[in-house]
Amino acid sequence: MRGFKRIINRYVLLLLVVPMLSGCWDRLDPENMAFIMAIGVDPGPNNDYIYTFALAMPKSNGGMNSGDNSPSGQNRIVSIFSEEGASLSAALLTSQSFIARRLTLIHSKAFILGDGVTRQGIMPILGEVVRNEEFRRTVNVITARGSAETYINNIKPKMENDIDLWFELEMDPHNIGAITPKNSRFHDFIMDIEQPGTGGTTILSAVHPSVDKNTNNHEMGEASSESKDRQTIASDIYAGDLHRTGETPIDFFGSAVYKGQKMIGYLTAQETKLLNILRGDFEKTVMEFHDPLDSKYNVTLNMNAEKKTKLKLKRKDNQINVTFIAHMEGELSGSMSNVDYTTPKNTIILEEAVEEQLIQQASKLLDKTLYEWNVDCFHIGNRLRATFPTLQEWYGYKWRDHIKDTKYKVDIDFTMTKHGDQVGPRCGRR
């Protein structure tokens, strides 16, 4: 009897195992998939949206990108099309009717909001996108100055044959040096705009039309009387306004700030560096400062954070007092003047000047965001929330109504660590 039961058990086990050996019925080969690298959104004509998609071009067996290999043009590494729809899912479904490969968002790198949708409100878009099972929350969010469709159609990398790598390098905060907000991924953006009073920030990017036309864009325009006698700070401008020629006609430079579901304004690359410092997200970058001993020139320093910026907060009734404490250090990498900053006396002068300029710039940024825009980009509310015994009391406080009454103090300490490879001022200069 026991032997018979063993035989029955073996047959039952065999019957259970055999179906598992039949293979995968819903398998989809990668070569049959169309990988969407970027999604752009603009207002549509019928109270809907225009979705623009950038697809990575498939590679041939030889490893080169397929497409236009004519001498007059570069290899195409991206295919672009647009579709009108009430939602992303609807646009993808309609697009599948003329795209042979299966469209997928699993490798998307950028979600691009056109200027039009940022002014009218983005929550309907985000509310639908966040539910898409293929859309990853690690996707970077970009605000484009102008149309997202125009922006995506200007993605024309010159040095890269891999659009996936191009997006990763362009949006890597370690690669571009704090000129865009460090935390600009979809998850960070969603968390910020959902918090009462907190200002969401995204990468600011723009089409640079003069670059593609090979026209000279080095003209600085009419300088103000205050700045005629000194050099300008190169990063104190917005994306799309860089004075440059050549390469990809797209700039990643600065940040866009949102108040709730609507964008309220832009920050220059210089302001974005200060934003990263005050947030405690700053690591290192190159920064320019006006030369304290020769006002015609600037000095350039390789800056890094000695310690993470501390935010101290005190609340007494409805009065909020915050103090930002930052410790910075840097290496002098460029000086056009004859001033010898290797001497102890001049080093102290430069350190004090850098501290003063950083505090002035940070104060202007705080005035602009807290008092002019009435938005908290520095996560003050996250620290303030801990001072309330219950979540109900915190929501009842209505932090957004008190942002403009917040008093702040900026304390930045700077230390010069090195003078670079040059041990003195340039010799022979007259």
Side-chain angles (χ1 to χ4, degrees), residues 321-344:
N321 293 275
V322 295
T323 304
F324 298 90
I325 304 173
H327 296 274
M328 311 292 293
E329 58 183 18
E331 174 184 349
L332 181 63
S333 60
S335 175
M336 299 296 293
S337 70
N338 284 327
V339 179
D340 185 359
Y341 282 113
T342 64
T343 64

Side-chain angles (χ1 to χ4, degrees), residues 36-57:
I36 298 174
M37 294 290 104
I39 309 106
V41 191
D42 292 303
N46 301 307
N47 196 28
D48 54 7
Y49 304 99
I50 301 295
Y51 290 90
T52 304
F53 302 97
L55 305 181
M57 291 293 288

